[in-house]
Amino acid sequence: ELPCFRSEPGKGLSAFMSFVPLVGEVHGFFSSLPRLIISKLRMMNCLLVDGDNNEWAPPCKVLRGWTEQVRNLIPDNMLLEHLGLIYLDRNIVLSDELARALGIEEFGPNILVRVLSSLCHTKSGLISMDMSWLASCLNILSVTMFNSSGSVPINFEMKDVQKNLQKMPFIPLSDGTYSSVDEGTIWLHFNHLNTGFDGEHKIEAFPNICAKLRTVSPFLFSASSGTPSLNVTFLDNVTRLLQSIGVQQLSVHDVVKLHILPALSDETMANKNRVLMIEYVCFVMLHLNSSCSDCFIEREHIISEFRCKSLLLTNYGFKCPAEIPIHFCTGFGNPVTPKMLAESVSMRWHEVDISYLSHPVNESVSSALIKWRDFFEKFGITDFAQVVQVDKSVVDICDVTFKQMMWDRGLISAESIVKDWESSEIVQLVSLLSKSGNLENCKYLLEVLDTLWDVCYSNKTTGYFYLKSVGDGHPFKSTFICSLCDIQWVVSTMDDELHYPKDLFYDCETVRMLLGDFAPYAVPKVSFLVHLFQ
């Protein structure tokens, strides 16, 4: 009521509150009074609400530290509806310590997050607010979260706010819905979408992938483009906020890492959307054949993830190349048809589906077949049986002569290392062909091995035994070549039976000069046989 404060009662209240003692400021007999005074004030309508009505409210119901920009964004009725708060008189100045002691709400990122959260959990919530309002809200939130240098204020617990934002479905997507980062990767849609591909290929060439990508609605940035408030800084603020909670900038490399690789291991997705799964693999192939700078660092990781987890379409459905041997069909340039051999003995022979090579994007890819073969070979796809290197004990070596020699020399020790080659497919196929007794199929198997030998198998006939982890190795016949020698499967010129390779002769001039036509020669005559008779 003092004359000097009648026109500005807020200043009078500020003067009064400046005399309120804080805990620790009073000592001795009266030391308990500050706590009692604060306690009384917390329960009283002792603070003025902003406006001309001289309305009073308790400390827990008022919001301080606001600006006109904030009030325009969150009008009085909206603040009251969603948070139950009223704006504190703009002329009231309180120390931070006193405001905290009284329990007064301070405007900051948490207030905006609470309003957003309330809208998200209210029927029609964010949908009832136009996109320019949401953009302005995110702009102010960004400004309050980050200082001018882009870093976070020391006294602000940003991690908690970010975690809350990540869970809230406040991000508008291009399909008209709202979602949260926790529900899946969300992408910022930029104009330069061909990053990560070479030549004319762009992400738009993959419509099924584009439809699956959850991108931020462009209306978030364009709805208020006619207003002065939506300038470059404004857009930068909104973008920075979204990226700080995990929204990704749309780049081909990140789409491969964050979206496609996880999706390629999803069996449910594979069964539901075969076309999309094929498009995913085409997308990865094109990207790995591009000049993407990120791939120089992460190429091996992508290849490893793809081989170990991804599902490829085969003639027997979707299979993982790390679990099932997969092969090229003739459509992928396979010079032989081993599938015919496998089917003749009821053995499953998985081949990559030709659909990958038939995707429309291949029409504009130079040397598409070569690139597809090179791509699939990185994941272990082969023309014929796969042969893998294995570490084992010398006891498990199939080369009996070598193993006995090592024992006799006393060279076996705990530090011994054995690097061998094995092929479970070869063992299974040759064994089944041997049992079937089909001479023509066994002849064709010889031709298949002869065709592919130099390129695929010639370097896998020898394993190595190492006395220690360092030093030169001692060569021995690999399990792979032993498995071909220890089964009766080679056709002879002398009868209609199948024989062990060791029981036959290689049909050449030198041998015929000694044995003539009376020796059992292996047929057909192919140079590969030399390796079986060594």
Side-chain angles (χ1 to χ4, degrees), residues 346-446:
S346 301
M347 175 181 170
R348 278 200 169 191
W349 192 262
H350 296 82
E351 292 185 339
V352 178
D353 195 280
I354 198 66
S355 299
Y356 295 109
L357 196 56
S358 304
H359 190 276
V361 77
N362 290 288
E363 296 175 5
S364 54
V365 176
S366 61
S367 307
L369 178 60
I370 295 174
K371 288 180 178 177
W372 272 112
R373 280 188 62 91
D374 179 66
F375 172 75
F376 280 131
E377 283 172 356
K378 289 182 173 67
F379 312 116
I381 312 305
T382 56
D383 285 320
F384 189 46
Q386 293 183 5
V387 181
V388 296
Q389 190 174 59
V390 293
D391 296 337
K392 57 172 63 173
S393 165
V394 70
V395 179
D396 301 320
I397 295 177
C398 291
D399 189 338
V400 179
T401 303
F402 175 82
K403 184 161 53 177
Q404 188 61 50
M405 180 180 68
M406 291 295 104
W407 284 109
D408 292 344
R409 293 182 180 181
L411 298 177
I412 309 303
S413 69
E415 295 181 341
S416 300
I417 299 174
V418 175
K419 300 281 186 182
D420 196 6
W421 293 97
E422 291 183 352
S423 175
S424 58
E425 283 187 293
I426 283 287
V427 173
Q428 183 182 6
L429 181 58
V430 175
S431 298
L432 291 173
L433 286 173
S434 178
K435 290 178 183 179
S436 72
N438 189 309
L439 303 185
E440 293 305 314
N441 283 342
C442 288
K443 289 179 183 178
Y444 184 61
L445 176 58
L446 265 178

Side-chain angles (χ1 to χ4, degrees), residues 16-290:
F16 170 81
M17 287 293 180
S18 68
F19 291 100
V20 175
L22 297 174
V23 176
E25 291 181 348
V26 181
H27 306 282
F29 180 78
F30 296 104
S31 60
S32 61
L33 283 181
R35 194 179 303 276
L36 292 173
I37 293 171
I38 293 293
S39 180
K40 289 285 187 181
L41 288 174
R42 287 171 68 102
M43 295 184 291
M44 293 172 59
N45 291 335
C46 64
L47 294 175
L48 278 169
V49 176
D50 195 71
D52 300 327
N53 299 326
N54 286 334
E55 183 182 350
W56 295 75
C60 64
K61 291 293 185 180
V62 297
L63 179 69
R64 74 189 284 257
W66 53 275
T67 64
E68 283 300 327
Q69 185 184 23
V70 171
R71 196 168 186 175
N72 290 333
L73 180 72
I74 309 174
D76 295 34
N77 60 339
M78 186 177 180
L79 183 68
L80 183 62
E81 177 187 354
H82 291 283
L83 301 186
L85 297 176
I86 311 170
Y87 287 108
L88 179 66
D89 187 293
R90 68 189 71 197
N91 293 318
I92 294 178
V93 179
L94 304 174
S95 68
D96 293 340
E97 293 83 357
L98 179 59
R100 284 194 294 268
L102 292 173
I104 298 173
E105 292 275 9
E106 182 81 23
F107 177 78
N110 59 316
I111 295 295
L112 291 171
V113 169
R114 285 163 58 188
V115 171
L116 274 176
S117 179
S118 179
L119 284 168
C120 289
H121 294 90
T122 304
K123 188 177 181 180
S124 76
L126 278 178
I127 299 176
S128 64
M129 311 299 293
D130 59 38
M131 205 66 78
S132 61
W133 180 90
L134 180 58
S136 297
C137 180
L138 299 183
N139 173 54
I140 295 175
L141 183 54
S142 178
V143 171
T144 57
M145 286 177 65
F146 304 97
N147 60 30
S148 59
S149 65
S151 60
V152 185
I154 297 175
N155 61 347
F156 173 51
E157 295 293 335
M158 187 179 73
K159 287 186 178 180
D160 292 336
V161 173
Q162 286 178 320
K163 286 180 181 178
N164 290 331
L165 287 172
Q166 288 168 348
K167 298 174 184 176
M168 287 165 42
F170 74 93
I171 303 175
L173 303 182
S174 296
D175 62 2
T177 62
Y178 287 78
S179 186
S180 68
V181 173
D182 274 7
E183 294 175 30
T185 305
I186 298 177
W187 305 87
L188 280 170
H189 206 292
F190 286 94
N191 293 327
H192 305 293
L193 300 182
N194 59 332
T195 305
F197 286 147
D198 289 337
E200 62 189 56
H201 300 105
K202 295 183 179 181
I203 197 170
E204 291 92 344
F206 301 90
N208 294 286
I209 293 178
C210 287
K212 276 292 180 181
L213 290 176
R214 297 167 3 118
T215 56
V216 178
S217 171
F219 293 118
L220 180 64
F221 302 101
S222 63
S224 300
S225 57
T227 64
S229 61
L230 197 60
N231 52 33
V232 175
T233 303
F234 186 106
L235 293 175
D236 287 345
N237 289 339
V238 175
T239 301
R240 179 169 60 178
L241 174 71
L242 293 175
Q243 290 180 323
S244 74
I245 63 170
V247 176
Q248 301 291 322
Q249 180 176 335
L250 188 58
S251 75
V252 169
H253 186 81
D254 285 335
V255 168
V256 170
K257 277 181 56 184
L258 304 178
H259 178 73
I260 293 181
L261 287 182
L264 276 174
S265 62
D266 188 341
E267 291 188 22
T268 303
M269 175 68 73
N271 294 327
K272 288 171 58 178
N273 200 331
R274 164 178 161 167
V275 174
L276 178 62
M277 294 292 281
I278 291 173
E279 198 163 278
Y280 279 150
V281 177
C282 292
F283 193 94
V284 176
M285 186 279 288
L286 263 185
H287 180 60
L288 289 183
N289 275 285
S290 73

